[in-house]
Coordinates of all heavy atoms in Angstrom, one line a residue:
G116 N 10.6 -34.3 -14.6 CA 12.0 -34.1 -15.2 C 12.8 -33.0 -14.6 O 13.8 -32.6 -15.2
G117 N 12.4 -32.4 -13.5 CA 13.2 -31.4 -12.9 C 14.5 -32.0 -12.2 O 14.6 -33.2 -12.0
T118 N 15.3 -31.1 -11.7 CA 16.5 -31.5 -11.0 C 16.2 -31.3 -9.5 O 15.8 -30.2 -9.1 CB 17.7 -30.6 -11.4 OG1 18.0 -30.8 -12.8 CG2 19.0 -31.0 -10.6
S119 N 16.5 -32.3 -8.7 CA 16.2 -32.2 -7.2 C 17.5 -32.0 -6.5 O 18.6 -32.6 -6.8 CB 15.6 -33.6 -6.8 OG 15.3 -33.5 -5.4
R120 N 17.5 -31.1 -5.5 CA 18.6 -30.7 -4.6 C 18.2 -30.6 -3.2 O 17.1 -30.0 -2.9 CB 19.2 -29.4 -5.0 CG 19.8 -29.4 -6.4 CD 20.4 -28.0 -6.7 NE 21.1 -27.9 -7.9 CZ 20.6 -27.8 -9.1 NH1 19.3 -27.7 -9.3 NH2 21.4 -27.8 -10.2
P121 N 19.0 -31.2 -2.3 CA 18.6 -31.0 -0.8 C 18.9 -29.5 -0.4 O 19.8 -28.9 -1.0 CB 19.6 -32.0 -0.1 CG 20.7 -32.2 -1.0 CD 20.1 -32.0 -2.4
L122 N 18.2 -29.0 0.5 CA 18.4 -27.6 1.0 C 18.7 -27.6 2.5 O 18.1 -28.4 3.3 CB 17.1 -26.8 0.8 CG 16.7 -26.6 -0.7 CD1 15.4 -25.9 -0.7 CD2 17.8 -25.8 -1.4
A123 N 19.7 -26.8 2.9 CA 20.1 -26.6 4.3 C 20.4 -25.1 4.5 O 20.6 -24.4 3.5 CB 21.3 -27.5 4.6
P124 N 20.4 -24.7 5.8 CA 20.7 -23.3 6.0 C 22.0 -22.8 5.4 O 23.0 -23.6 5.4 CB 20.8 -23.2 7.6 CG 19.8 -24.3 8.0 CD 20.0 -25.4 7.0
G125 N 21.9 -21.7 4.8 CA 23.1 -21.1 4.0 C 23.0 -21.3 2.5 O 23.7 -20.6 1.8
D126 N 22.2 -22.3 2.1 CA 22.1 -22.5 0.6 C 21.5 -21.3 0.0 O 20.6 -20.7 0.5 CB 21.3 -23.8 0.3 CG 22.0 -25.1 0.7 OD1 23.2 -25.0 0.9 OD2 21.3 -26.1 0.7
I127 N 22.0 -21.0 -1.2 CA 21.5 -19.9 -2.0 C 20.9 -20.4 -3.3 O 21.4 -21.3 -4.0 CB 22.6 -18.9 -2.3 CG1 23.2 -18.4 -1.0 CG2 22.2 -17.8 -3.2 CD1 24.5 -17.6 -1.2
I128 N 19.7 -19.9 -3.6 CA 18.9 -20.4 -4.7 C 18.6 -19.2 -5.7 O 18.2 -18.1 -5.2 CB 17.6 -20.9 -4.2 CG1 17.8 -22.0 -3.2 CG2 16.7 -21.4 -5.4 CD1 16.6 -22.2 -2.3
M129 N 18.8 -19.4 -7.0 CA 18.3 -18.5 -8.0 C 17.5 -19.3 -9.0 O 18.0 -20.1 -9.7 CB 19.5 -17.8 -8.7 CG 19.1 -16.8 -9.8 SD 18.2 -15.4 -9.2 CE 19.5 -14.4 -8.6
V130 N 16.2 -19.0 -9.1 CA 15.3 -19.6 -10.0 C 15.0 -18.6 -11.1 O 14.4 -17.5 -10.8 CB 14.0 -20.0 -9.4 CG1 13.0 -20.7 -10.4 CG2 14.2 -21.0 -8.2
P131 N 15.4 -18.8 -12.3 CA 15.2 -17.8 -13.4 C 13.7 -17.7 -13.7 O 12.9 -18.6 -13.4 CB 15.9 -18.5 -14.6 CG 16.9 -19.4 -14.1 CD 16.3 -19.9 -12.8
A132 N 13.3 -16.5 -14.2 CA 11.9 -16.3 -14.5 C 11.4 -17.3 -15.5 O 12.2 -17.8 -16.4 CB 11.8 -14.9 -15.2
G133 N 10.2 -17.8 -15.3 CA 9.6 -18.8 -16.2 C 10.0 -20.2 -16.0 O 9.6 -21.1 -16.7
V134 N 10.8 -20.5 -14.9 CA 11.3 -21.9 -14.7 C 10.4 -22.5 -13.6 O 10.3 -21.9 -12.5 CB 12.8 -21.9 -14.3 CG1 13.2 -23.3 -13.8 CG2 13.6 -21.4 -15.5
P135 N 9.9 -23.7 -13.8 CA 9.1 -24.4 -12.7 C 10.0 -24.7 -11.5 O 11.2 -25.1 -11.7 CB 8.6 -25.7 -13.4 CG 8.8 -25.5 -14.9 CD 9.9 -24.5 -15.0
H136 N 9.5 -24.6 -10.3 CA 10.2 -24.9 -9.1 C 9.2 -25.3 -8.0 O 8.0 -25.0 -8.0 CB 11.1 -23.8 -8.7 CG 10.4 -22.5 -8.4 ND1 9.9 -21.7 -9.4 CD2 10.0 -21.9 -7.2 CE1 9.3 -20.6 -8.9 NE2 9.4 -20.7 -7.5
W137 N 9.7 -26.1 -7.1 CA 8.9 -26.6 -6.0 C 9.8 -26.8 -4.8 O 10.9 -27.2 -4.9 CB 8.3 -27.9 -6.4 CG 7.6 -28.7 -5.3 CD1 6.3 -28.5 -4.9 CD2 8.1 -29.8 -4.5 NE1 6.0 -29.4 -3.9 CE2 7.1 -30.2 -3.6 CE3 9.4 -30.4 -4.4 CZ2 7.3 -31.2 -2.7 CZ3 9.6 -31.4 -3.5 CH2 8.6 -31.8 -2.6
F138 N 9.3 -26.4 -3.6 CA 10.0 -26.6 -2.3 C 9.3 -27.7 -1.5 O 8.1 -27.6 -1.2 CB 10.0 -25.3 -1.5 CG 10.8 -24.2 -2.2 CD1 10.2 -23.2 -2.8 CD2 12.2 -24.3 -2.2 CE1 10.9 -22.2 -3.4 CE2 12.9 -23.3 -2.8 CZ 12.3 -22.2 -3.4
G139 N 10.1 -28.7 -1.1 CA 9.6 -29.7 -0.2 C 10.2 -29.4 1.2 O 11.2 -28.6 1.3
V140 N 9.7 -30.0 2.2 CA 10.1 -29.7 3.6 C 10.6 -31.0 4.3 O 9.9 -32.0 4.2 CB 9.0 -29.1 4.4 CG1 9.4 -28.9 5.9 CG2 8.5 -27.8 3.8
T141 N 11.7 -30.9 4.9 CA 12.3 -32.1 5.6 C 12.4 -31.7 7.1 O 13.0 -30.6 7.4 CB 13.7 -32.4 5.1 OG1 13.6 -32.6 3.7 CG2 14.3 -33.7 5.7
G142 N 11.9 -32.5 8.0 CA 12.1 -32.2 9.4 C 11.2 -31.1 10.0 O 11.5 -30.5 11.0
G143 N 10.1 -30.8 9.4 CA 9.1 -29.9 10.0 C 9.0 -28.5 9.5 O 8.0 -27.8 9.6
K144 N 10.2 -27.9 9.0 CA 10.1 -26.5 8.5 C 11.2 -26.2 7.6 O 12.2 -26.9 7.6 CB 10.1 -25.5 9.7 CG 11.5 -25.3 10.3 CD 11.5 -24.2 11.3 CE 12.9 -24.1 12.0 NZ 12.8 -23.1 13.1
L145 N 10.9 -25.3 6.7 CA 11.9 -24.7 5.8 C 11.6 -23.2 5.7 O 10.5 -22.8 5.4 CB 11.8 -25.3 4.4 CG 12.6 -24.7 3.3 CD1 14.1 -25.0 3.6 CD2 12.3 -25.3 1.9
A146 N 12.6 -22.4 6.1 CA 12.4 -21.0 6.1 C 13.4 -20.4 5.1 O 14.6 -20.7 5.1 CB 12.6 -20.4 7.5
L147 N 12.9 -19.5 4.2 CA 13.7 -18.9 3.2 C 13.6 -17.4 3.3 O 12.5 -16.9 3.6 CB 13.2 -19.3 1.8 CG 13.0 -20.7 1.4 CD1 12.3 -20.9 0.1 CD2 14.3 -21.4 1.4
L148 N 14.7 -16.7 3.0 CA 14.7 -15.3 2.8 C 14.7 -15.0 1.4 O 15.6 -15.4 0.7 CB 15.9 -14.6 3.5 CG 16.0 -13.1 3.2 CD1 14.8 -12.3 3.8 CD2 17.3 -12.6 3.9
G149 N 13.5 -14.6 0.8 CA 13.4 -14.5 -0.6 C 13.1 -13.2 -1.2 O 12.5 -12.3 -0.5
L150 N 13.4 -13.0 -2.5 CA 13.2 -11.7 -3.2 C 12.8 -12.1 -4.6 O 13.5 -12.9 -5.2 CB 14.4 -10.9 -3.1 CG 14.5 -9.6 -3.8 CD1 13.6 -8.6 -3.2 CD2 15.9 -9.1 -3.8
K151 N 11.8 -11.5 -5.1 CA 11.4 -11.6 -6.5 C 12.2 -10.5 -7.3 O 12.2 -9.3 -6.8 CB 9.9 -11.4 -6.8 CG 9.1 -12.4 -6.0 CD 9.2 -13.8 -6.6 CE 8.2 -14.8 -6.0 NZ 8.4 -15.2 -4.6
L152 N 12.8 -10.9 -8.4 CA 13.6 -9.9 -9.2 C 12.9 -9.7 -10.6 O 13.0 -10.6 -11.4 CB 15.0 -10.4 -9.4 CG 15.8 -10.7 -8.1 CD1 17.1 -11.4 -8.4 CD2 16.0 -9.4 -7.4
P153 N 12.2 -8.7 -10.8 CA 11.5 -8.5 -12.1 C 12.6 -8.4 -13.2 O 13.6 -7.8 -13.0 CB 10.8 -7.1 -11.9 CG 10.8 -6.9 -10.5 CD 11.9 -7.6 -9.8

Side-chain angles (χ1 to χ4, degrees):
T118 301
S119 180
R120 292 180 174 84
L122 296 175
D126 288 347
I127 299 171
I128 303 156
M129 178 65 81
V130 180
V134 173
H136 58 285
W137 171 85
F138 295 104
V140 177
T141 308
K144 76 176 176 186
L145 174 65
L147 308 170
L148 175 60
L150 176 67
K151 301 290 188 293
L152 302 170

